Amino acid sequence: MSTDSAISIVWIYPDLLSTYGDRGNMLILARRAALRGFPVQTIEVRSDQRLPSTADIYLLGGGEDGPQALAAQRLLADGGLHRAVAQGSVVFAVCAGYQLLGGSFFAKGAKCGGLNLLDLNSDRGPSRAVGELGGTIDPRLGLPPLTGFENHGGRTHLGPSVAPLARVTTGIGNDGSTEGAWRGKLLGTYSHGPALARNPALADLLLRWATGMDVLAPLDDTWSDRLRAERTAATAVS
Amino acid sequence: MTDGNTAKMPLRAKVASSVSRTAAALSRAAGRGDGSVIGGWIGLKIDPDLLAHLANGRAIALVSGTNGKTTTTRLTAAAVGVLGNVATNSFGANMPTGHTSALAKAGHTPYAVLEVDEHYLAQVIAATTPRVVALLNLSRDQLDRAKEVAMMADLWRTALANHPDILVVANADDPMVVYAAVASPRVTWFSAGQRWHDDSWVCPQCGAPIERQADQWWCVNCPLRRPMPQWTVEDDGVIDPRGAWHKVNLQIPGKVNVGNAATALAVAAQFGVRPTDAVGRLSTVTSVAGRYAQVMRDGRNIRLLLAKNPASWLEAFDMVDHAPTLLSINARDPDGLDTSWLFDVDFSPLRGRQVLITGDRAYDLAVRLEVNDVPFRHVLSFDEAVTSVPPGRLEVIANYTAFQDIRAELDRVN
């Protein structure tokens, strides 16, 4: 299925984890790679299919409680994502998918075992976090501020072996103070759905991780820049 | 106050009903809106049971679902109209305040057909004891504040299980609707087709995957599967339970509305209306609270289409002519504040035509269209859009408040 020269992007379980335009992240990565001249292969793997373990980038989306718990069971039984991570693949996970990467999460009132790929655990917060989410990203990643939209009831507690993706300036994120997490080439965020639409530099970071290239050719991001500016201004006044 | 429904009412309800009508008239006269919410709100303040009092003595059908409620309600009211006067909330005011206003304003009618917001279905069933409930579909819509799809299906299911006397008319093509409707012992199934499948890949009953092949769907694990529909759509007509095909001549576009016509005929049949008697009346529906309305301005024939969520965008693309198209997106409270759903919609059917974008959240749309390889131009106003296209048809597709903004530009066209 995969060819050696193409960047392969796997969208994990769109039948379970696709609630808020999650497809967008796959489309955006594929487009930004193709505009740089990289051949791209996108693969949607349903929950009743085996997960390939040799792809370059894996995407996990958001989902309701039932599908989230089901996805954890399937991914643990499948083992493909764990093998891929051991081989250095990139993983980008949002919302429910982000919680899945940790040791545990809550779904339908019960504690569920996660994939244990990132040192974090999620539980229920006192209120649902719904609205604009913004923050300054870990300076080691060299990215402009994060902007997105969150909608979740969880609070996520980071262990010592992961770093927060960002310090929250708007919204809740993990706990009102930090937002998201990353380690190696694994990165998760509560900025849900098509998070990369508002954060093209983050998309390029994932592509740099996947290709091993330090620099990618710049793209015309006029519309993304306008969107970022408009959202930043809107959250500043509210 | 001599009409039949109100004559039996307690005094408090009569006063509430009268004040409600007056307030609605004042609201319209003041240019504050359709008046379809404020009147009911005041009436319910005076008498919290006003809706139940107004419903008493009428044979009522409720129409609910994520999409197509307003249009199907209008078509159903036209079909039931064969029997006599029908009260209906035709401005799309679909919460109890709107129902109260509609019934108060209509005075005595033997029948009522009411569109109901899906979140309020259980409450309105309890208040109005309807004879028929029609369930159209359930899909993602404003998830930042609405209930998740599976939760909504559970609420419907409980409401119907508690009211086994109701005649349920339900969409066999939507697993979420079927899951809710099978709780009732009295279901008539229709097939109106379903373009949108992305909220029903997982069985609402047991969580196993749902398989699809052609029109059929089934859970791989439990008995939930597509029931055999008694009412179906074929070409531009509707097949009734006896197998007779009725040609439907609609003034409103799209295959989805032939499906809505099938639903309307199925509901009307529960009141004893024969499809042959009702089908001609469906063509009297030309536009619905501005939806599908056509307006001439500066030589442009502007047609308005409302699309509020991914499923309804897919249906809108099926309706539009190959003509310049304006897309307008807001994300105000009634729309939902989250624009992520734009990536659930495949805009590629718009390739090859002149596409203009506008609205509060035009930049979200711009990024989406760029990724979708759909060339577009951003315009700052509706007027600029009109002057940017050649004379002839201009299709306008907008979400809720964006649609209302444009409707206001066109003198609140209905």
Side-chain angles (χ1 to χ4, degrees):
Chain A
M1 219 160 50
S2 85
T3 56
D4 286 339
S5 57
I7 298 176
S8 50
I9 303 170
V10 167
W11 182 13
I12 300 174
Y13 301 167
D15 54 326
L16 298 179
L17 300 174
S18 172
T19 308
Y20 303 97
D22 297 278
R23 176 182 297 277
N25 293 325
M26 179 180 73
L27 299 175
I28 288 161
L29 285 170
R31 178 168 185 275
R32 298 184 76 82
L35 287 171
R36 270 72 174 247
F38 296 111
V40 186
Q41 185 185 24
T42 57
I43 308 155
E44 298 179 27
V45 180
R46 276 181 55 157
S47 61
D48 55 355
Q49 297 172 319
R50 290 298 304 267
L51 201 64
S53 57
T54 57
D56 297 301
I57 301 177
Y58 291 83
L59 300 173
L60 280 164
E64 301 182 9
D65 280 13
Q68 182 188 19
L70 194 58
Q73 289 169 19
R74 297 270 161 87
L75 286 169
L76 284 168
D78 182 277
L81 186 61
H82 289 80
R83 286 195 294 280
V85 168
Q87 291 159 17
S89 296
V90 176
V91 179
F92 178 62
V94 307
C95 204
Y98 165 49
Q99 294 182 350
L100 278 182
L101 294 182
S104 62
F105 61 92
F106 273 75
K108 291 194 166 174
K111 189 173 180 175
C112 305
L115 306 180
N116 264 313
L117 291 168
L118 285 179
D119 179 16
L120 53 85
N121 290 285
S122 303
D123 54 23
R124 285 282 168 207
S127 60
R128 218 172 155 78
V130 185
E132 294 285 324
L133 175 62
T136 50
I137 291 185
D138 188 335
R140 288 174 293 169
L141 294 173
L143 299 177
L146 181 78
T147 170
F149 196 94
E150 64 181 335
N151 183 355
H152 57 98
R155 296 295 182 274
T156 295
H157 312 284
L158 307 187
S161 71
V162 290
L165 172 64
R167 295 278 158 198
V168 171
T169 52
T170 303
I172 304 291
N174 292 331
D175 56 7
S177 160
T178 69
E179 145 49 22
W182 71 284
R183 177 182 62 82
K185 297 181 187 172
L186 277 61
L187 194 152
T189 174
Y190 271 118
S191 174
H192 78 189
L196 301 179
R198 289 204 208 172
N199 300 283
L202 180 54
D204 285 354
L205 173 72
L206 302 174
L207 291 175
R208 282 191 277 121
W209 282 352
T211 59
M213 297 176 73
D214 290 336
V215 180
L216 296 172
L219 298 179
D220 177 359
D221 283 323
T222 303
W223 293 108
S224 297
D225 291 344
R226 286 182 187 174
L227 173 58
R228 287 176 61 84
E230 186 248 330
R231 286 292 86 208
T232 306
T235 51
V237 295
S238 63
Chain B
M1 300 291 290
T2 55
D3 49 55
N5 295 100
T6 48
K8 292 172 293 189
M9 276 189 192
L11 179 62
R12 192 175 187 83
K14 286 186 195 173
V15 171
S17 175
S18 168
V19 170
S20 167
R21 271 184 273 182
T22 308
L26 283 172
S27 169
R28 282 190 299 277
R32 307 279 297 199
D34 292 325
S36 42
V37 172
I38 184 70
W41 186 82
I42 292 173
L44 286 170
K45 282 279 169 208
I46 298 171
D47 177 6
D49 294 327
L50 181 57
L51 179 55
H53 288 129
L54 288 166
N56 192 19
R58 301 187 216 238
I60 292 180
L62 306 181
V63 178
S64 196
T66 307
N67 288 319
K69 295 187 282 289
T70 307
T71 304
T72 305
T73 296
R74 182 66 73 87
L75 291 168
T76 304
V80 175
V82 169
L83 300 173
N85 287 337
V86 180
T88 185
N89 51 340
S90 52
F91 288 105
N94 58 20
M95 298 181 203
T97 46
H99 306 137
T100 304
S101 281
L103 295 183
K105 185 178 153 203
H108 174 67
T109 63
Y111 301 95
V113 178
L114 300 176
E115 166 190 346
V116 183
D117 180 281
E118 51 275 32
H119 298 78
Y120 288 86
L121 185 60
Q123 186 185 335
V124 178
I125 285 175
T128 63
T129 50
R131 183 182 296 183
V132 186
V133 169
L135 306 177
L136 307 183
N137 48 62
L138 278 177
S139 68
R140 60 188 66 184
D141 183 36
Q142 303 177 20
L143 284 172
D144 61 297
R145 64 129 196 261
K147 293 227 184 311
E148 291 172 336
V149 174
M151 269 197 290
M152 187 69 74
D154 268 326
L155 289 176
W156 279 12
R157 187 177 164 93
T158 306
L160 296 177
N162 291 337
H163 294 87
D165 293 343
I166 293 174
L167 303 171
V168 176
V169 175
N171 184 356
D173 294 326
D174 187 332
M176 293 292 165
V177 167
V178 172
Y179 166 72
V182 291
S184 164
R186 311 173 75 178
V187 189
T188 300
W189 301 104
F190 65 88
S191 166
Q194 197 192 26
R195 223 172 280 274
W196 175 261
H197 293 157
D198 283 0
D199 289 308
S200 49
W201 292 110
V202 177
C203 176
Q205 189 150 282
C206 76
I210 283 178
E211 293 284 345
R212 290 177 186 275
Q213 196 169 45
D215 292 342
Q216 300 299 315
W217 59 263
W218 61 94
C219 173
V220 300
N221 178 58
C222 80
L224 195 74
R225 62 182 301 125
R226 181 180 186 256
M228 179 71 81
Q230 289 104 314
W231 295 80
T232 56
V233 167
E234 192 175 290
D235 301 325
D236 54 350
V238 173
I239 300 178
D240 72 20
R242 297 176 178 187
W245 183 81
H246 306 274
K247 183 167 170 57
V248 173
N249 288 308
L250 294 179
Q251 302 287 313
I252 53 179
K255 205 170 155 46
V256 66
N257 281 323
V258 183
N260 290 336
T263 311
L265 294 177
V267 173
Q270 310 305 311
F271 291 95
V273 178
R274 294 183 308 172
T276 42
D277 295 334
V279 71
R281 299 179 65 97
L282 301 182
S283 61
T284 61
V285 177
T286 51
S287 71
V288 183
R291 296 146 217 219
Y292 319 114
Q294 297 187 45
V295 180
M296 284 303 293
R297 179 180 276 194
D298 302 334
R300 280 77 170 180
N301 173 240
I302 301 160
R303 182 163 65 169
L304 302 184
L305 299 170
L306 175 70
K308 295 183 292 189
N309 50 48
S312 59
W313 279 85
L314 295 191
E315 302 298 354
F317 294 155
D318 177 58
M319 293 175 194
V320 292
D321 289 345
H322 193 87
T325 303
L326 172 68
L327 311 176
S328 185
I329 299 290
N330 290 349
R332 300 176 200 163
D333 278 330
D335 306 304
L337 304 176
D338 185 6
T339 57
S340 300
W341 59 269
L342 287 169
F343 282 85
D344 284 324
V345 178
D346 178 8
F347 289 86
S348 61
L350 299 180
R351 285 178 198 151
R353 71 181 74 200
Q354 186 183 357
V355 174
L356 305 169
I357 66 170
T358 194
D360 298 350
R361 299 302 289 271
Y363 294 150
D364 294 77
L365 186 55
V367 170
R368 173 65 188 114
L369 293 177
E370 198 171 54
V371 175
N372 224 164
D373 292 319
V374 177
F376 61 88
R377 188 180 140 201
H378 180 215
V379 294
L380 296 174
S381 68
F382 182 69
D383 279 338
E384 187 186 346
V386 172
T387 54
S388 299
V389 300
R393 171 60 62 82
L394 169 63
E395 302 280 16
V396 177
I397 312 177
N399 69 347
Y400 190 74
T401 65
F403 185 90
Q404 301 306 336
D405 285 353
I406 290 170
R407 211 178 138 206
E409 295 257 358
L410 297 169
D411 303 324
R412 295 198 66 79
V413 58
N414 277 310

